[in-house]
């Protein structure tokens, strides 16, 4: 009965559309809408079916989809069809990404186009341009406080420049990733300004209250995201004379998705940027999309339904466009952003693997892989047509959201261990060479996170200052080892700009009043291109890191076992300092690669006679894919130097492929 109702409604809507446009212009649209409408209608009814304007709103939604499809450029429509034919295209080992702040990396969009050859030299073929939508000139949370969702910051260029960049990248076989901030707007957005002026329609776009009664009920269970700089979750707006929900910063107003008009507008914005040429859209703060009193208002079921509906609608208009879920939550929750009870992703195809990132840093500080191995055991298996975004550093802080049960399983006290990690990476622990800064310190709970550039956290800053060549060598090796892990783990590796040449902490943010209070700007550098040129000088730190990473990317692209088909098996190395896992391409016997990393300051041994490795290598024909050489063996044990790693394969088996 319900399916009959949705089909009847669809027919009514299509009849209305047929009077507005030529039916032939929408032939692919009609096919995709027919395939997805039942799911869209079901989800929309679940969220908004109780409203009197339900039919009016779903009709408006469908009309928006038709307009977005008509506006989609023909080259992107052809790309959609190609990707529908090869629907696992993004699971290939050929993709390697870089995330960057446009002004810090290239100045503006035209400058980025001029730097595309540099990215190709490294081997990067996916570029995530951090948020460039129009935002306030002052405090803007690094571009995540958007004042106009359909225009970009004039300092970055124009929307036409975005389209030109997308075309230039597609011509080079590269993917463009852009941000859409779906949880909130700037308080300078037109919707917020109208709400301030008393427009009830736009006040309903936000969580707005005349007094503290409801906000206080929310506050009983809501955590604080930025306790140092933005305590609490509500802000009094004097112009409006009301309280407004501001979970992140006081100038970021949370959108109210219980209002279907909000969903329709934000979906339209998502499709707008897909039509400008974005291959991948990073949906920011998706865990916060639905608010409920008595909860943390994170990871609510309705947030997942919103994402499912966005994905279904995108499948109608731009099926070649992927979604990244920016949800930095526990492993048991992050896995849900691919979609539950499904084989293929029905929410977001890609999700940040924040757990892996944080566990890697734990191994760096402890010099062992106990918690790293334990935490990966607890990482749920992803869906078949979904993948992780693996990274060592990003624009954000390093959170320590490990599962307490995993920490205890490694004989650590959770609170004391997290305290140790913060002290280690901020250089407070005796003997630590790290030079990070604490971030997000909550003096009520004692929680804290970590800010800092990869090279500075890995000890390169201190090593260069001391002139200790051994320490420099160890830091360079550690930087490459961390990248070796994200390049082989399974998923899309995402390099943070500047890390490819060992960029250190950038303290210039302290001179900017709008940034000085946010320690994360220490690892959001303004690239010194004269220093980058040192990558061409043999023996420099820049050359060693750049060429080492370039080699890793090239080997990755030619190693089918690194494609992401849930083909990773964690291996008990029999040595607490070594992290090891096996990668095997499901359709290529003999393609297995054993990844093994030593996080200790001394050489460690991998015993190939152990049961975990028996039958893996035939007659000791072992090759390190990175160097192309056979590693040192002692009594059939592989010697792994300090802070080093190997990608080990059966040389004889590979020669037969």
């Amino acid at each position: 009965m319900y399916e009959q109702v949705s089909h009847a409604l669809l027919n009514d809507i299509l009849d209305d559309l047929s009077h507005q446009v030529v039916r032939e212009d929408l032939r692919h649209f009609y096919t995709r809408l027919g395939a997805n409408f039942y799911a869209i209608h079901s989800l929309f009814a679940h969220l908004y079916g109780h409203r009197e304007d339900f039919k009016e709103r779903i009709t408006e939604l469908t009309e928006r989809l038709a307009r977005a499809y008509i506006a989609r450029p023909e080259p992107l429509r052809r790309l959609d069809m190609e990707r529908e034919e090869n629907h696992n295209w993004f699971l290939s080992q050929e993709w390697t990404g870089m995330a960057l702040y446009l002004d810090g990396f290239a100045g503006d969009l035209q400058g980025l186009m001029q730097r595309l050859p540099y990215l190709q030299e490294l081997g990067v073929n996916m570029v995530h341009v951090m948020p460039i939508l129009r935002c306030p000139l002052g405090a803007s949370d690094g571009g995540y406080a958007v004042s106009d969702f359909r225009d970009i910051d004039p300092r970055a260029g124009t929307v036409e420049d975005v389209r030109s960049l997308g075309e230039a990248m597609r011509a080079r076989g590269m993917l463009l990733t852009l941000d859409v901030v779906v949880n909130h707007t700037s308080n300078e957005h037109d919707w917020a300004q109208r709400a301030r002026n008393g427009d009830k329609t736009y006040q309903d776009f936000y969580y707005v209250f005349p007094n503290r009664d409801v906000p206080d009920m929310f506050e009983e269970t809501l955590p604080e995201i930025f306790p140092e700089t933005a305590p609490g979750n509500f802000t009094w707006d004097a112009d409006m004379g009301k309280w407004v929900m501001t979970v992140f910063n006081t100038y970021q107003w949370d959108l109210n998705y219980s209002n279907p008009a909000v969903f329709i507008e934000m979906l339209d914005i998502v499709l707008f940027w897909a039509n400008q040429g974005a291959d991948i859209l990073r949906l920011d703060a998706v865990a916060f999309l639905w608010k409920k009193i008595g909860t943390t208002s994170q990871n609510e079921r309705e947030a997942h339904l919103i994402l499912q509906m966005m994905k279904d609608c995108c499948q109608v208009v731009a099926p070649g466009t992927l979604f990244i879920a920016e949800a930095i939550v526990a492993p048991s929750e992050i896995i849900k952003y691919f979609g539950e009870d499904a084989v293929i992703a029905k929410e977001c195809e890609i999700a940040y693997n924040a757990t892996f990132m944080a566990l890697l840093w734990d191994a760096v500080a402890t010099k062992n892989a106990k918690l790293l191995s334990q935490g990966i055991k607890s990482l749920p298996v992803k869906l078949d047509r979904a993948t992780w975004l693996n990274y060592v550093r990003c624009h954000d802080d390093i959170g320590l959201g490990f599962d307490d049960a995993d920490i205890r399983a490694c004989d650590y006290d959770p609170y004391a261990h997290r305290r140790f990690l913060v002290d280690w990476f901020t250089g407070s622990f005796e003997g630590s060479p790290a030079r990070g800064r604490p971030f997000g310190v909550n003096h009520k709970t004692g929680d804290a996170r970590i800010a800092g550039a990869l090279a500075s956290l890995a000890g390169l800053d201190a090593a260069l200052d001391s002139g200790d060549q051994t320490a420099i060598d160890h830091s360079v090796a550690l930087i490459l080892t961390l990248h070796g892990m994200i390049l082989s783990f399974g998923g899309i590796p995402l390099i943070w700009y500047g890390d490819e040449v060992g960029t250190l902490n950038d303290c210039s943010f302290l001179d900017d009043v709008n940034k000085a209070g946010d320690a994360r700007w220490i690892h959001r550098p303004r690239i010194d291109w004269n220093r980058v040129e040192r990558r061409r000088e043999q023996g420099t730190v820049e050359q060693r890191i750049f060429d080492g990473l370039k080699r890793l990317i090239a080997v990755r692209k030619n190693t089918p076992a690194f494609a992401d088909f849930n083909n990773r098996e964690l291996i008990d190395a029999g040595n607490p300092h070594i992290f090891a896992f096996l990668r095997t391409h499901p359709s290529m016997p003999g393609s297995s690669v054993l990844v093994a990393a030593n996080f200790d300051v001394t050489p460690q041994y991998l015993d190939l006679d152990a049961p975990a490795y028996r039958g893996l290598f035939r007659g000791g024909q072992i090759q390190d894919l990175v160097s192309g050489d056979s590693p040192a063996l002692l009594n059939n044990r592989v010697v792994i130097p300090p802070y080093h790693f190997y990608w080990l394969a059966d040389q004889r088996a590979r020669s037969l492929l």
Side-chain angles (χ1 to χ4, degrees), residues 179 188 196 230 240 400 486:
D179 281 84
E188 295 185 15
R196 275 178 165 156
M240 189 166 49
L400 305 174
I486 66 168

Side-chain angles (χ1 to χ4, degrees), residues 255-561:
L255 289 165
N256 182 0
Y257 277 88
S258 67
N259 179 353
V262 169
F263 174 83
I264 292 170
E265 290 297 335
M266 293 308 297
L267 171 67
D268 206 39
I269 289 160
V270 165
L271 297 177
F272 173 82
W273 288 107
N275 281 352
Q276 306 315 307
D279 299 281
I280 304 173
L281 290 170
R282 176 188 180 276
L283 306 183
D284 183 66
V286 293
F288 298 84
L289 292 183
W290 198 269
K291 311 299 195 295
K292 283 184 184 177
I293 291 174
T295 74
T296 62
S297 293
Q298 294 184 42
N299 307 309
E300 292 296 322
R301 180 169 181 266
E302 289 84 354
H304 291 285
L305 300 183
I306 288 167
L307 289 173
Q308 288 176 31
M309 192 156 49
M310 279 189 175
K311 173 48 61 177
D312 288 337
C313 290
C314 194
Q315 288 296 104
V316 174
V317 174
T321 302
L322 306 179
F323 287 171
I324 296 175
E326 192 275 328
I328 310 304
V329 295
S332 60
E333 293 295 336
I334 184 62
I335 205 74
K336 297 176 184 177
Y337 288 91
F338 293 130
E340 294 187 273
D341 303 321
V343 175
I344 63 172
K346 61 179 182 180
E347 292 184 26
C348 299
E349 291 90 349
I350 309 171
Y352 281 88
N353 198 350
T355 299
F356 186 41
M357 178 274 298
L359 289 168
L360 285 171
W361 285 110
D362 182 89
V364 171
T366 61
K367 296 182 174 55
N368 71 65
K370 290 193 301 182
L371 186 54
L372 172 55
S373 297
Q374 179 64 36
I376 296 305
K377 287 179 187 175
S378 301
L379 188 67
V381 176
K382 66 169 185 64
L383 300 180
D384 289 344
R385 190 179 176 269
T387 197
W388 293 113
L389 204 60
N390 297 311
Y391 60 106
V392 182
R393 291 298 292 113
C394 68
H395 74 288
D396 225 336
D397 54 276
I398 298 173
L400 305 174
F402 321 119
D403 191 300
D404 283 359
D406 287 336
I407 298 176
R408 292 191 181 96
C410 296
D411 299 323
Y412 299 137
D413 172 76
Y415 178 84
H417 190 64
R418 290 189 179 95
R419 184 70 260 167
F420 157 72
L421 292 174
V422 172
D423 289 346
W424 178 271
F425 287 113
T426 57
S428 299
F429 194 89
E430 185 177 354
S432 168
R435 291 188 175 177
R437 296 193 177 203
F439 174 76
V441 178
N442 190 325
H443 296 289
K444 288 179 277 189
T445 64
D447 291 337
R449 283 116 69 189
I450 301 156
L454 163 59
S456 296
L457 294 173
L460 185 58
D461 223 335
L464 290 171
D465 280 352
S466 69
D468 184 335
Q469 189 58 51
T470 299
I472 293 172
D473 292 344
H474 281 173
S475 295
V476 170
L478 179 57
I479 290 168
L480 291 175
T481 291
L482 290 169
H483 281 107
M485 296 303 97
I486 66 168
L487 284 158
S488 57
F489 185 77
I492 301 173
L494 188 68
I495 300 163
W496 183 238
Y497 77 115
D499 286 352
E500 78 280 8
V501 288
T503 300
L504 305 175
N505 286 340
D506 184 349
C507 294
S508 63
F509 78 100
L510 295 171
D511 300 326
D512 186 334
V513 67
N514 292 311
K515 296 178 180 178
D518 188 341
R520 293 174 300 176
W521 285 103
I522 200 170
H523 57 259
R524 300 171 179 177
R526 190 164 294 278
I527 296 299
D528 179 353
W529 285 98
N530 290 325
R531 183 170 179 268
V532 173
E533 282 301 305
R534 295 183 62 192
R535 76 188 187 281
R536 305 185 190 280
E537 301 174 22
Q538 195 64 31
T540 63
V541 165
E542 292 82 2
Q543 177 269 323
R544 294 171 63 189
I545 295 175
F546 186 92
D547 284 355
L549 188 51
K550 179 180 177 180
R551 171 65 180 167
L552 294 181
I553 294 171
V555 172
R556 167 188 162 82
K557 290 181 179 180
N558 288 292
T559 306

Side-chain angles (χ1 to χ4, degrees), residues 12 81 120 134 272 291 327 431 457 489 630:
D12 290 344
M81 289 188 282
Q120 286 190 295
R134 187 180 288 270
F272 173 82
K291 311 299 195 295
L457 294 173
F489 185 77
S630 296

